[in-house]
Amino acid sequence: MAKPSKLSRIRNIGIAAHIDAGKTTVSERILFYTGRIHKTGEVHDGAATMDWMEQEQERGITITAAVTTCPWREHDIHLIDTPGHVDFTVEVERSLRVLDGCVAVFCAVGGVEPQSETVWRQADKYKVPRLAFINKMDRVGADFERVLEDMKRKLPCKPVPIQMPIGAEGKFEGIIDLLTMEAVRFGGQHGETAERSPIPAELMADAEAAKERLLEALSELDDDVAELYLGGEEVPLEKMQEVLRKGTCANQIQPVLCGSALRDKGVLPLLDAVVDYLPSPVDVPPVVGVNPETGEEESREPDPNAPLCAMVFKVAMDEGRRHVYIRVYSGTLEPGMDLLNANDGKKEKVARLFKTHSHKKERINEAVAGDLVMAAGVRFAQTGHALCDPKHPIRLEDMAFLKPVIAIAVEPKQNKDLEKLQEALKKLADEDPTVELKEDENTGQTLLAGMGELHLEILVDRLNREFNLGVNTGNPSVVYRETIAGNAGMNEVFERVIDEAKKERVYARVALEVAPTPRDSGTEFEDKRSEENKTLNALTDKDFNEVRQGALEALEAGPIDGYPVQDVRITLKEVETRPGETTTVALRVAAANAVRHALKEARPVTLSPLMSLEVVVPEAMTGSVVGDLSARGARIEGVEAEGDRGVVKAITPMTAMFGYSTQLRSLTEGRGTFSMRFNRFDALE
């Protein structure tokens, strides 16, 4: 069994960024320098270790988060390489939920791009400490200072550069270490040696100014540094590193490094920074949850000898069998142990445990606090569920996932494969919380819903390759939501005779009101019954829950086209019961019918998925792109100039964006790029 002291030498980190910022290339270099692989594979050649799926290799993008472990300076780095495409942002979400630290990669040319902002917000939500690595310093248009300004302007962060580049674009040579005030260049066949030398004279003034800014930032965090700095004394290297680590772990600052992973420059210092500044499991607060039996808040220290507490953060089909990825927060997990799923109360048992290296597995006998492992034999647990010692149950904070915004109809090419298709689709939905399956009430077709056209394309491709299923697909259709624009009250009576001879009947009356709430505020249920009504018509906890559940279930299908209803407040005004006649079913049905009828009277409205769009084009072509977007019904949020490029930001209905990539290529002679992410459901203006 691992000793608790080993925990301080673990780093659970993720690599996250906008698509094409180079995070998989950074991951590849990390694996090479740590000796985990002996030859680097490039993304553009379809040979990157962490991009193991056929679709990833063919397209040159990361689709699924891959987990590996590599050693560095007597530390174990558990590394997750995450996707950058907005359609697969669920992979980033569930990875950040269980990580202790993150390396955010930014392109030195593109700066803070839309998915960079999404990733940063996801890390903020889970309070994950970060390093920033400005990659592609060798690219034409690379600008270190501009990316720093971009970070300050677009992100809630405090970037603190601990390096500065030596040159840029084709003249990028290496970095200046501002802590030691040395120039660092990278030698050897693959940049595996960091060669230190004095700072070139022409860069000394800039380096000294950057060092001053670094010391100013550290002075704000530590009185000892401030005293030394203001007194004109030298601040020891160890002290600077100590304060950098403390500030990073507390999310007060984000150290910034730079380099070119593809050119083998800058990743070695990044590895050192991961060990020096990102937290171990003992440096982050204990995980907090709720005891499902008592409802009281509890915490678990990262101790292998404590009661087991773990979270399933990913479900994956490996060689046709169900596996789950688990983060162990406390205790020790061994095959054969009896476990409790604190979310649904079901019993679970792990059959086998594995350490993973991308898609390869190595069987292990136990996993201890701080470990990220794969397990076989877990039958029911879903993404975000907590597995724990049955004698010490604890339920952790649930993960929240975006709802699908686009759907296609799928059917097997051969009728005999219908049952096989249904089973395959259920497995895909089991893996990915942003996949939904439902049946079209009008046509009887099976609808597969996801986060975007690429997401659905990959799912259909997987049906063919992994499940050997040929399928026909219908045109993409957008998934809408419904809400209300006004208030309405309803008094609903549910009364039925169930046995005329015995004069048995069931009865319940529910009076309630519905009202709109601010967009994206969610659904609310309030009990505003008078004290007199509560006294005359007393409800047990079970009866009240039935009323509440019936009311909320009525929101699953709206009055216009049957889409889910959101942003509604339901206020319970009265309940009338009769002794011997009122049942839980009657209460539930009366509440549901009251909500359905009230929604019809409250001016129902259809909400469309709106997307945040960013289009980058040559500046001379900006006008034609803006005109085309306006014709599509987009609302232009702003147009900015970045060098010789124009950046157009807009909010646009998703329906207007089908086939946009082809139109943009035509308008910009193939030189324009765009990225989209879900913004909100709202009424079209």
Side-chain angles (χ1 to χ4, degrees):
M1 185 179 295
K3 297 178 181 179
S5 60
K6 184 188 174 186
L7 285 171
S8 62
R9 299 196 303 274
I10 289 176
R11 299 291 181 272
N12 290 316
I13 69 163
I15 310 288
H18 186 88
I19 192 168
D20 286 338
K23 64 198 166 308
T24 299
T25 304
V26 170
S27 299
E28 197 75 7
R29 295 307 183 272
I30 287 175
L31 296 181
F32 177 75
Y33 295 137
T34 58
R36 200 67 177 83
I37 59 175
H38 302 291
K39 180 183 178 183
T40 56
E42 306 302 350
V43 174
H44 52 265
D45 294 330
T49 305
M50 303 299 271
D51 286 350
W52 59 271
M53 291 176 65
E54 292 179 14
Q55 294 94 331
E56 293 177 315
Q57 295 166 356
E58 291 169 0
R59 297 164 189 266
I61 62 171
T62 302
I63 293 171
T64 183
V67 184
T68 190
T69 300
C70 48
W72 188 251
R73 286 173 37 193
E74 298 183 347
H75 287 68
D76 286 334
I77 298 176
H78 300 157
L79 173 71
I80 301 182
D81 178 36
T82 64
H85 196 286
V86 64
D87 282 14
F88 309 106
T89 192
V90 62
E91 295 285 341
V92 186
E93 180 84 17
R94 56 188 175 186
S95 298
L96 287 172
R97 174 65 178 82
V98 298
L99 291 173
D100 301 322
C102 177
V103 176
V105 180
F106 298 94
C107 173
V109 180
V112 178
E113 298 170 282
Q115 190 65 5
S116 310
E117 296 181 55
T118 300
V119 167
W120 200 269
R121 283 196 303 272
Q122 288 171 311
D124 277 340
K125 181 165 75 172
Y126 298 117
K127 298 180 174 60
V128 179
R130 274 144 281 172
L131 301 175
F133 182 71
I134 299 177
N135 192 29
K136 301 190 176 184
M137 283 301 306
D138 60 313
R139 286 268 306 276
V140 174
D143 190 330
F144 181 76
E145 292 296 332
R146 181 172 58 78
V147 179
L148 285 177
E149 290 304 313
D150 224 16
M151 291 177 67
K152 294 174 186 175
R153 184 163 50 90
K154 296 180 178 179
L155 304 176
C157 69
K158 186 172 182 181
V160 176
I162 59 174
Q163 298 176 352
M164 59 176 281
I166 301 176
E169 301 181 337
K171 297 181 180 179
F172 177 64
E173 297 178 18
I175 56 113
I176 290 174
D177 185 336
L178 297 176
L179 295 171
T180 63
M181 290 300 281
E182 295 173 304
V184 185
R185 294 177 176 84
F186 303 92
Q189 187 176 357
H190 299 288
E192 61 267 26
T193 60
E195 300 164 357
R196 293 179 174 266
S197 61
I199 297 172
E202 66 273 16
L203 295 177
M204 183 57 78
D206 289 341
E208 288 176 343
K211 177 67 173 282
E212 288 289 311
R213 292 192 291 271
L214 170 60
L215 290 172
E216 286 172 7
L218 297 183
S219 297
E220 294 176 8
L221 301 176
D222 187 89
D223 291 341
D224 293 338
V225 173
E227 189 176 330
L228 291 169
Y229 173 60
L230 294 173
E233 298 181 50
E234 186 86 12
V235 181
L237 173 63
E238 294 77 13
K239 185 62 179 178
M240 288 189 285
Q241 291 178 322
E242 174 195 324
V243 177
L244 274 168
R245 177 177 182 77
K246 183 179 177 182
T248 304
C249 291
N251 257 320
Q252 296 172 301
I253 58 171
Q254 291 80 34
V256 181
L257 302 89
C258 62
S260 169
L262 187 63
R263 304 299 174 210
D264 305 315
K265 296 175 181 177
V267 179
L268 284 174
L270 176 62
L271 267 168
D272 286 333
V274 166
V275 168
D276 291 336
Y277 308 126
L278 289 180
S280 72
V282 296
D283 296 317
V284 296
V287 67
V288 175
V290 173
N291 186 318
E293 295 177 357
T294 66
E296 295 181 1
E297 186 176 282
E298 295 184 6
S299 63
R300 294 286 186 271
E301 298 284 345
D303 180 356
N305 299 311
L308 178 71
C309 172
M311 173 175 272
V312 173
F313 67 94
K314 181 175 178 176
V315 178
M317 295 299 159
D318 186 69
E319 298 176 349
R321 295 184 179 90
R322 189 180 197 268
H323 291 70
V324 296
Y325 285 88
I326 295 174
R327 162 70 192 260
V328 182
Y329 285 105
S330 67
T332 300
L333 177 62
E334 298 174 347
M337 286 178 62
D338 290 324
L339 304 173
L340 172 70
N341 183 332
N343 290 69
D344 61 15
K346 292 180 180 178
K347 295 179 180 179
E348 294 277 19
K349 187 169 285 192
V350 170
R352 295 176 299 282
L353 284 173
F354 305 94
K355 281 282 189 185
T356 61
H357 174 53
S358 188
H359 63 297
K360 298 175 182 175
K361 305 192 299 286
E362 174 189 341
R363 194 160 175 177
I364 56 175
N365 295 321
E366 66 174 20
V368 299
D371 280 342
L372 299 176
V373 296
M374 177 190 268
V378 177
R379 299 171 58 198
F380 308 112
Q382 298 295 323
T383 300
H385 284 187
L387 299 177
C388 56
D389 182 340
K391 296 179 182 177
H392 300 87
I394 183 170
R395 177 171 178 166
L396 305 179
E397 181 186 357
D398 291 337
M399 295 188 205
F401 301 111
L402 293 173
K403 293 293 184 181
V405 295
I406 184 172
I408 54 173
V410 291
E411 61 181 21
K413 289 185 176 178
Q414 301 182 47
N415 287 334
K416 66 181 180 66
D417 289 334
L418 182 59
E419 190 174 326
K420 187 178 177 184
L421 173 62
Q422 294 290 345
E423 188 63 33
L425 289 173
K426 286 177 183 175
K427 288 182 178 179
L428 292 178
D430 189 26
E431 279 189 321
D432 188 344
T434 60
V435 172
E436 279 188 4
L437 301 175
K438 60 182 180 180
E439 186 175 292
D440 188 306
E441 293 181 3
N442 298 318
T443 65
Q445 291 177 303
T446 298
L447 299 179
L448 175 65
M451 295 305 298
E453 290 180 277
L454 179 60
H455 190 198
L456 295 177
E457 189 180 325
I458 295 296
L459 292 171
V460 170
D461 193 36
R462 288 185 62 192
L463 287 174
N464 181 31
R465 299 192 195 208
E466 296 176 28
F467 299 95
N468 198 28
L469 272 169
V471 295
N472 296 318
T473 60
N475 291 328
S477 61
V478 173
V479 178
Y480 296 90
R481 294 287 185 271
E482 295 180 25
T483 191
I484 53 177
N487 298 15
M490 191 59 58
N491 183 37
E492 188 73 23
V493 175
F494 179 79
E495 189 171 12
R496 293 286 187 278
V497 176
I498 57 176
D499 191 325
E500 191 70 50
K502 296 180 180 179
K503 297 185 177 180
E504 291 183 4
R505 59 199 306 120
V506 293
Y507 176 89
R509 182 177 68 85
V510 173
L512 50 76
E513 292 178 356
V514 296
T517 60
R519 194 67 66 239
D520 289 333
S521 61
T523 300
E524 303 172 15
F525 183 88
E526 295 181 339
D527 183 5
K528 290 291 182 70
R529 290 175 293 157
S530 67
E531 290 303 318
E532 181 183 5
N533 183 259
K534 289 180 180 179
T535 302
L536 293 174
N537 300 273
L539 297 180
T540 65
D541 289 344
K542 183 178 180 182
D543 288 341
F544 179 78
N545 283 332
E546 289 295 322
V547 173
R548 184 176 182 277
Q549 287 303 315
L552 294 177
E553 283 175 5
L555 300 179
E556 293 176 2
I560 302 175
D561 293 305
Y563 291 110
V565 180
Q566 66 176 47
D567 304 332
V568 171
R569 179 187 299 109
I570 303 171
T571 304
L572 182 63
K573 306 297 284 187
E574 286 185 10
V575 174
E576 183 184 347
T577 61
R578 290 179 181 172
E581 294 184 9
T582 298
T583 65
T584 55
V585 172
L587 288 166
R588 192 181 191 111
V589 173
N593 288 342
V595 171
R596 290 191 185 99
H597 294 151
L599 291 175
K600 292 179 181 178
E601 301 298 322
R603 305 206 316 270
V605 177
T606 299
L607 303 177
S608 300
L610 302 183
M611 314 299 288
S612 291
L613 175 71
E614 184 170 296
V615 188
V616 181
V617 296
E619 194 171 14
M621 300 175 176
T622 302
S624 58
V625 169
V626 169
D628 178 68
L629 288 174
S630 297
R632 291 170 178 263
R635 186 176 73 241
I636 307 301
E637 300 276 281
V639 180
E640 300 174 4
E642 293 185 358
D644 59 351
R645 306 181 310 162
V647 180
V648 181
K649 296 182 178 180
I651 301 293
T652 177
M654 186 175 196
T655 49
M657 298 310 294
F658 292 139
Y660 182 65
S661 56
T662 302
Q663 176 67 4
L664 183 63
R665 280 195 296 270
S666 174
L667 285 172
T668 63
E669 300 172 359
R671 296 159 66 192
T673 60
F674 78 98
S675 56
M676 253 189 337
R677 59 181 170 83
F678 175 72
N679 182 285
R680 66 186 187 278
F681 282 100
D682 213 338
L684 289 174
E685 297 176 0

